[in-house]
Amino acid sequence: MMPSRTVRLVVICLVLVCTAGCDQVTKHLARTELGRMGDSRLPGRFIEFTLAENPGAFLSLGASFPQAARSALIVCVSFGLAFLLAYLVRAPRLRSVSFLGLALIWAGGLSNLFDRFARDGLVTDFMVVRVGPLHTGVFNLADFAIVVGVLMLVASSCVAPRKGAFPQAEKGASG
């Protein structure tokens, strides 16, 4: 369980600064350096750097939607992130792993949302991971943070709850 609201706010701010800070710096570098030099690959061709301005959501989902629909989705995501922040601040019974997973999802979403507002609805993506013939779509560090957050939530839900972690559920079950 996460301790006080103040500690939760400090952790949320640290996750935001680290996640969005790194994401925005790497996006800036991608726009300036990849825009100037072109695509690049690390030795072994495991990671490729290629500049893409994405009008859609994760993996370009919705990129072909009309502008009005994409704008409506941006508004919905904004409200969803605001509700997620309120939940993170007010939910004292979350496990630490779940809390950090949700905080990573929130911070990554907020960083991509910042791009949408600052770059006329576009998000800068720049990395592709390749393993043999398999490869990811083009993504950025905010997307990576979101995926790690989701994996943390899944891992947390697969672990049996500790005794006393959900006192309300125990009361209801026994009485």
Side-chain angles (χ1 to χ4, degrees):
M1 287 189 287
M2 287 303 296
S4 73
R5 185 175 288 185
T6 303
V7 172
R8 288 193 307 270
L9 280 170
V10 168
V11 172
I12 289 167
C13 288
L14 285 172
V15 170
L16 176 63
V17 167
C18 293
T19 302
C22 290
D23 180 58
Q24 291 300 316
V25 166
T26 56
K27 286 175 180 175
H28 173 74
L29 288 172
R31 285 189 297 271
T32 56
E33 297 303 315
L34 291 174
R36 184 175 54 82
M37 296 177 357
D39 294 354
S40 175
R41 290 182 180 92
L42 291 181
R45 302 175 71 108
F46 178 67
I47 297 179
E48 178 182 329
F49 298 100
T50 184
L51 184 61
E53 297 294 340
N54 180 2
F58 185 69
L59 298 175
S60 297
L61 295 173
S64 62
F65 289 179
Q67 180 59 42
R70 287 197 313 265
S71 296
L73 284 173
I74 291 170
V75 170
C76 290
V77 167
S78 300
F79 280 115
L81 290 172
F83 284 120
L84 180 55
L85 176 60
Y87 178 73
L88 285 169
V89 171
R90 294 175 175 248
R93 299 218 181 267
L94 276 176
R95 289 183 179 179
S96 296
V97 173
S98 297
F99 176 84
L100 288 173
L102 288 171
L104 281 170
I105 292 167
W106 176 76
L110 200 61
S111 190
N112 278 339
L113 188 63
F114 175 79
D115 266 20
R116 297 231 182 261
F117 285 120
R119 303 190 46 76
D120 296 320
L122 300 175
V123 171
T124 301
D125 291 332
F126 59 92
M127 288 187 291
V128 176
V129 176
R130 297 184 182 281
V131 179
L134 303 174
H135 61 86
T136 65
V138 185
F139 65 98
N140 57 48
L141 288 183
D143 297 333
F144 181 73
I146 292 167
V147 169
V148 169
V150 168
L151 291 174
M152 290 174 78
L153 287 175
V154 169
S156 178
S157 70
C158 291
V159 176
R162 294 175 301 215
K163 187 172 177 130
F166 302 102
Q168 294 89 357
E170 289 176 12
K171 271 188 188 174
S174 64

